[in-house]
Amino acid sequence: MPFALFLLGVAVFAQGTSEFMLSGLVPDIARDLGVSVPSAGALTSAFALGMVAGAPLMAGLARRWSRRGALLGFLAVFLAVHVVGAVTDSFTVLVATRVVGALANAGFLAVALVTAVGMVGPEAGGRATSTLLGGVTLACVVGAPAGALLGQLWGWRAAFWAVALLSLPAVVAVARSVPAGAADSGRPSLRAELRSLRNPRLRVALLLGALVNAATFCTFTYLAPLVTQVTALGSGWVPVVLALFGAGSFLGVAVGGRLAERRPGAVLTGGGGALCLGWAAFALAAGTPAVALGLVLVQGPLSFGVGSTLISQALRTASDAPTLSGGFATAAFNVGAALGPWLGGTAIGAGLGYRSPVWVSAALVAVALLTAGLAARRNRRAPGCRTRASWPA
């Protein structure tokens, strides 16, 4: 893998830290700004909604810029809004900074995904995608627990300042490592790229990615109250639990990236089934610390292994949309990141307790498996279909 690809992962790590760190900060933000825990949890949904809207929009806008210029511009905006978020006393302003920061993050990730695959070619696209998304999972391993620890020591605002500072070396890394290049030219028109969404296999892959990611974020957003209220561990365990989930996620992306190029169907079918059963087991055993901690470690690699494989398959299927394919994948990924916390917060708000988001996660993966099965059955019946699909759709 080119060294520049790993440096892009550094920038993705800074942005992923911002998204994931709220899992350990939700109770403190709610208390400090005088809102409910589900309302504070909606900050994750606000970020994800900005990612959903921003991914195709920013990817389309970035067609006019060089890729390095686009990446640097998105990073600069991302840094600025975290400074504003760190100093505000208004929950409304904080929500606004999350949306704007998400737009910048969406644009960066959409351009970075396409840039990463372009560096290595489609034959190594799965590994390139997993290398880039390694920055996301490293944010789970290091960024999210570090954010939770900073929140416990110096308040949740310290975590926002840390992300702003972390973005500075990311700016330098992108400026030095990504070739200047030029604005995209000789590409299909924007309208032609949008027409690629008519591909039913692409739509199924994006839908599955959204459902699996919704399941991941549904539980991940509320891990802090789950650990302290249901598992009955002290607040000092929150960073440990987040680190366990993140460590497993990093492993899942690394392994999934290689398998995505050789046996994507096995990853999605076997991994998806295990993921569904794992969430159900976690909901049942959340009150037993040893079992709960073990399942946190297991669900991380399953969630991100399946999720990253779906992203790489979506990018491969959208090969006729060379500038918007990253936007499609980013948008789908974050539809799930918005839907999951909202569904989990709704379940908690309905009085179903802090186990309920885990049950919702199990249900979401079950829907994904059913959808994949129905799509695969339809494809087998279609005239001229291939006998071996690259995923179960």
Side-chain angles (χ1 to χ4, degrees):
M1 293 290 106
F3 184 65
L5 186 56
F6 293 98
L7 293 178
L8 280 177
V10 172
V12 173
F13 166 70
Q15 296 174 357
T17 296
S18 173
E19 185 168 7
F20 292 134
M21 71 182 183
L22 289 187
S23 297
L25 302 177
V26 164
D28 291 339
I29 292 174
R31 185 166 48 252
D32 186 36
L33 299 183
V35 298
S36 67
V37 168
S39 294
L43 287 169
T44 300
S45 293
F47 194 95
L49 286 171
M51 292 281 284
V52 171
L57 179 63
M58 295 296 103
L61 183 63
R63 287 165 59 97
R64 300 175 179 270
W65 309 330
S66 71
R67 287 182 178 173
R68 185 171 71 179
L71 293 171
L72 288 174
F74 290 137
L75 268 178
V77 173
F78 183 81
L79 189 158
V81 297
H82 278 78
V83 172
V84 175
V87 300
T88 187
D89 290 319
S90 167
F91 183 72
T92 301
V93 172
L94 185 60
V95 171
T97 66
R98 298 306 287 169
V99 173
V100 175
L103 290 173
N105 188 1
F108 183 91
L109 187 55
V111 175
L113 282 169
V114 176
T115 302
V117 175
M119 287 179 178
V120 299
E123 68 282 353
R127 279 181 292 166
T129 301
S130 65
T131 299
L132 193 63
L133 293 180
V136 177
T137 55
L138 189 61
C140 289
V141 177
V142 179
L149 184 60
L150 284 174
Q152 291 175 7
L153 294 176
W154 296 303
W156 63 269
R157 297 175 192 276
F160 278 73
W161 281 115
V163 169
L165 292 174
L166 186 62
S167 298
L168 287 174
V171 171
V172 176
V174 170
R176 291 186 175 182
S177 65
V178 177
D184 287 323
S185 59
R187 306 279 187 173
S189 68
L190 185 61
R191 181 174 297 179
E193 293 201 34
L194 288 173
R195 281 200 298 268
S196 69
L197 283 173
R198 296 178 182 176
N199 184 336
R201 290 174 63 80
L202 174 60
R203 286 184 291 183
V204 170
L206 295 175
L207 175 59
L208 296 180
L211 288 169
V212 169
N213 204 45
T216 302
F217 275 84
C218 184
T219 294
F220 187 78
T221 299
Y222 299 103
L223 268 181
L226 178 69
V227 166
T228 55
Q229 301 298 318
V230 178
T231 312
L233 295 172
S235 59
W237 277 90
V238 171
V240 175
V241 172
L242 294 176
L244 284 175
F245 189 90
S249 301
F250 189 82
L251 177 63
V253 166
V255 175
R258 293 188 175 275
L259 292 179
E261 297 169 6
R262 293 179 294 178
R263 302 186 63 188
V267 174
L268 297 175
T269 304
L275 184 61
C276 182
L277 293 175
W279 286 132
F282 190 12
L284 291 170
T288 306
V291 178
L293 292 174
L295 286 169
V296 165
L297 185 58
V298 168
Q299 292 303 96
L302 288 174
S303 295
F304 279 86
V306 173
S308 65
T309 300
L310 285 166
I311 289 177
S312 67
Q313 292 300 304
L315 290 172
R316 181 175 297 178
T317 306
S319 58
D320 53 348
T323 57
L324 291 186
S325 56
F328 295 158
T330 301
F333 190 80
N334 286 280
V335 164
L339 180 64
W342 178 76
L343 290 173
T346 299
I348 294 171
L352 299 178
Y354 288 116
R355 290 179 193 254
S356 58
V358 193
W359 283 116
V360 174
S361 294
L364 286 167
V365 178
V367 171
L369 291 171
L370 178 61
T371 301
L374 291 174
R377 183 179 180 184
R378 180 198 62 201
N379 285 346
R380 284 194 296 269
R381 291 181 174 180
C385 71
R386 292 184 297 178
T387 57
R388 292 186 62 186
S390 58
W391 68 71

